[in-house]
């Protein structure tokens, strides 16, 4: 019986269209139950549609439709329970649909297919002899329906979404899952030069407004210009000086003011002057002068932005939007007003770039590598971003929007299902307790994040608050931030990582130009080269922790033991300075290193002699083991933490850590992925640190699996030859345990 059930479910799940899946389902069920007729009805817009049958008239497929209030099939859906009748015709709800030719059938058994409390269809078996189906037969069909619910729902969604192909669809790679429906907001989307022509009511006020706007513009231009100057990007710096000159009173700036003096309101004045000069320059013969028209346009737009939205940063939209850009960096995302960011779409960027990690941490759906998306006019257009499948739909129909709204509400229901168990400890069925920690970087939302079932903060990325400043934060400013982080965690441990800038995490005020930034001046290397900054950060961490003992300090990008030894000296120095200044003992935090650089995996015995713990950074470890830039979309398909070589390295690491009694956790993205978490637990990792959005899901999963069983699965996994095979095997494992929906 169990084998038959498994065979049917597997063959249905492996079909690649809903139609094939359903016809396989009815023929195999009919055979297994030795009945004369099996049919399936799928619920579509509140109607049950006959979608596959063996035994009823084949040409009635997709023609016979009934509302839930009609017929016996409707009754099973409406009551959400099986209807088992010896003689269907004698039931008051019986309704004859002549086109299906079911006159000969008497015995009738219908079972609803329910996914997360929602009926998705009904499966029916029928026979000519009047008899009640046995309890065993009823139980069989109910088990089958329960197992099939997720498969049918997934195939149904796939079918709905593939109907969309006619519309404008862009494809990219999913960097942060989820679905968003909102208007597009093209980064750098310019303000229109066409402003209404209005007379000034108060000349002095208009002059003052215009001068203030020009001044703010001038400040912005010089900040940008200084930044590029420092980076020695001369070409760019000269663009800004040209704009600055244009803004002067001897140039366009003077023209704007003159126009106001002629009686125009400031916006109208800028608009009129810009349009007039653009026209003149475009008409010029000289190609160089012709091109200056774009400088005039850009300057006009900058000044108008300051006049129209003086209090907003240039990026701030007035509603929730899907940000569409060539590329975004983590700083920009961190600065973007949180409630306004519904989704992110970029032409460049990789799924493991810091911007993508931040998107996941913020729970904002994102797709990257969307070729040519900027050439489609998406500014202010209604967009549907399906980051689960990597699709972006532009101006979809209402019916499609409705489908996606249903998907959104389903996934919210699923999240609620996971969250319902969040207060229970993450413990496998055979009693292995796994500690789940939070990865964090932004202060806002930390207190609510912490309320949601984490055992502590496993990775606090201090570079995020550094990125939000216009200069290095002072020691006092850092103390304040770190104190807030510690207090948000209440009495739970907090692992704070020292500054990990460099690579793809630039500080706006500390530009680094390198050919190979990921192999360059990053993390601890930079801190050790700037002891004044490093000591300040260590002192700030120790001060913040002076009245608690939660702090643990983590060092990023360590590639040799000498870096650890030198750090320990600085830590000792900061510690003794502070105890002297405060004239009292303060807690000494535990110290740990990130395992991100492969060489360190082979020195764990020496590492164990120096530090208290390690945390595996599987993002960088994968990048360095596979020699694949985590940001580069051209090689993103090669970046795979499920690569058996990477998995073996992770297994090696935890085995050696146990051998040398070195406390170990893992804080890369792999820990928050359901399949990743399963493998890590099988390897022996007992501390997983992940984004807030993953904690409830992983907890839910771990409470339903058996560690001993996973260990056997891991043996199989490690003998496979590529990441794809690993994922397939894990997929199969989840499917057999009815846990496939965890991946949605
Ligand atoms: C990692 O590399 O896995 C990690 C957690 O650090 P980050 O992603 O911040 O580089
Ligand atoms: Mg890292």
């Amino acid at each position: 019986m169990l084998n038959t059930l498994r065979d049917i479910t597997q063959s249905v799940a492996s079909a690649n269209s809903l139609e094939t899946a359903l016809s396989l389902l009815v023929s195999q069920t009919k055979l297994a139950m030795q009945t004369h007729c099996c049919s399936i009805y799928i619920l579509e817009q509140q109607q049950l549609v006959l979608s596959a049958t063996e035994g009823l008239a084949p040409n009635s497929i997709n023609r016979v439709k009934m509302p839930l209030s009609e017929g016996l099939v409707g009754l099973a859906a409406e009551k959400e329970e099986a209807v088992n009748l010896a003689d269907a015709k004698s039931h008051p709800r019986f309704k004859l649909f002549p086109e299906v030719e079911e006159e000969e059938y008497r015995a009738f058994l219908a079972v609803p297919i329910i996914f997360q409390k929602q009926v998705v269809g009904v499966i029916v078996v029928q026979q000519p002899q009047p008899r009640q189906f046995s309890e065993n037969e009823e139980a069989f069909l109910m088990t089958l329906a329960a197992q099939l619910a997720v498969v049918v729902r997934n195939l149904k969604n796939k079918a709905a979404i593939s109907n969309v192909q006619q519309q404008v669809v862009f494809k990219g790679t999913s960097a942060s899952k989820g679905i968003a429906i909102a208007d597009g907001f093209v980064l750098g989307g310019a303000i229109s030069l066409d402003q209404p022509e209005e007379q000034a009511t108060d000349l002095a006020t208009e002059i003052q407004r215009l001068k203030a706007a020009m001044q703010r513009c001038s400040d912005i231009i010089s900040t940008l210009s200084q930044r590029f100057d420092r980076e020695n990007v001369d070409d760019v710096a000269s663009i800004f000086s040209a704009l600055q000159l244009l803004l002067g009173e001897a140039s366009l700036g003077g023209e704007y003011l003159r126009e106001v003096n002629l009686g125009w309101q400031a916006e109208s004045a800028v608009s009129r002057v810009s349009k007039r000069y653009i026209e003149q320059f475009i008409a010029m013969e000289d190609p160089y002068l012709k091109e200056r028209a774009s400088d005039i346009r850009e300057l006009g737009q900058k000044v108008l932005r300051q006049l129209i939205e003086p209090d907003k940063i240039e990026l701030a939209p007035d509603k929730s939007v899907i940000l569409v850009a060539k590329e975004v960096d983590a700083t920009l995302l961190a600065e973007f007003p949180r409630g306004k960011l519904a989704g992110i779409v970029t032409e460049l960027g990789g799924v493991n770039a810091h911007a993508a990690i931040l998107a996941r941490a913020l729970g904002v759906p994102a797709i990257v590598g969307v070729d040519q998306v900027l050439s489609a006019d998406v500014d202010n257009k209604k967009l549907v971003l399906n980051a689960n499948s990597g699709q972006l739909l532009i101006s979809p129909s209402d019916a499609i929007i409705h489908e996606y709204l249903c998907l959104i509400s389903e996934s919210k229901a699923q999240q609620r299902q996971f969250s319902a168990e969040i207060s229970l400890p993450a413990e496998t069925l055979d009693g292995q307790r796994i500690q789940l920690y939070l990865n964090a970087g932004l202060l806002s939302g930390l207190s609510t994040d912490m309320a949601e079932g984490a055992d502590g903060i496993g990775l606090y990325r201090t570079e995020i608050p550094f990125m939000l400043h216009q200069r290095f934060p002072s020691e006092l400013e850092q103390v304040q931030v770190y104190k807030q982080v510690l207090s948000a965690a209440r009495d739970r441990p907090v692992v704070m990582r020292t500054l990990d800038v460099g690579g793809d995490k630039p500080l706006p005020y500390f530009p680094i130009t390198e050919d190979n930034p990921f192999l360059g001046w990053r993390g601890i290397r930079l801190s050790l080269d700037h002891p004044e900054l490093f000591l300040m950060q260590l002192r700030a961490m120790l001060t913040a922790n002076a009245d608690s003992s939660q702090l643990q300090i983590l060092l990023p990008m360590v590639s040799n033991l000498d870096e650890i030894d030198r750090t320990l000296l600085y830590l000792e120095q900061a510690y003794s300075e502070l105890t002297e200044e405060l004239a009292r003992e303060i807690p000494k935090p535990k110290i740990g290193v990130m395992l991100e650089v492969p060489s360190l995996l082979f020195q764990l015995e020496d590492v164990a002699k120096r530090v208290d713990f390690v945390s595996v950074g599987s993002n960088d470890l994968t990048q360095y083991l596979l020699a694949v830039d985590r940001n580069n979309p051209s090689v993103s398909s090669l970046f795979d933490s499920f690569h058996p070589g990477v998995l073996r390295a992770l297994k090696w690491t935890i085995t050696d850590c146990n051998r040398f009694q070195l406390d170990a956790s893992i804080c890369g993205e792999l820990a928050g992925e359901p399949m990743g978490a399963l493998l890590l637990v099988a390897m022996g990792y007992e501390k997983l640190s992940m984004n807030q959005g993953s904690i409830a899901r992983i907890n839910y999963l771990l409470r339903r699996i058996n560690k001993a069983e996973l260990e056997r699965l891991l043996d199989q996994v490690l003998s496979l030859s590529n990441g794809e095979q690993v994922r397939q095997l894990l997929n199969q494992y989840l499917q057999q345990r009815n846990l496939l929906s965890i991946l949605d």
Side-chain angles (χ1 to χ4, degrees), residues 175 351-362 461 619 630 669 691:
V351 295
N352 285 287
H354 283 98
I357 291 179
L358 201 57
R360 289 194 281 276
L362 295 170
R461 292 181 164 101
N619 309 333
R630 60 196 268 189
E669 297 297 297
N691 295 325

Side-chain angles (χ1 to χ4, degrees), residues 354 357 461 497 505 522 596 617-620 630 667-668:
H354 283 98
I357 291 179
R461 292 181 164 101
R497 186 170 71 182
K505 285 183 282 192
R522 252 200 92 173
E596 308 181 277
S618 54
N619 309 333
D620 277 316
R630 60 196 268 189
C667 61

Side-chain angles (χ1 to χ4, degrees), residues 477-507:
E477 284 168 333
Q478 289 187 53
V479 172
Q480 279 162 355
V481 174
Y482 303 154
K483 267 192 172 160
Q484 286 182 60
V485 177
L486 291 170
S487 91
R490 281 178 240 128
D491 50 357
R492 285 166 280 186
V494 174
V495 179
M496 270 188 206
R497 186 170 71 182
T498 61
L499 198 59
D500 185 22
V501 291
D504 65 342
K505 285 183 282 192
L507 289 178

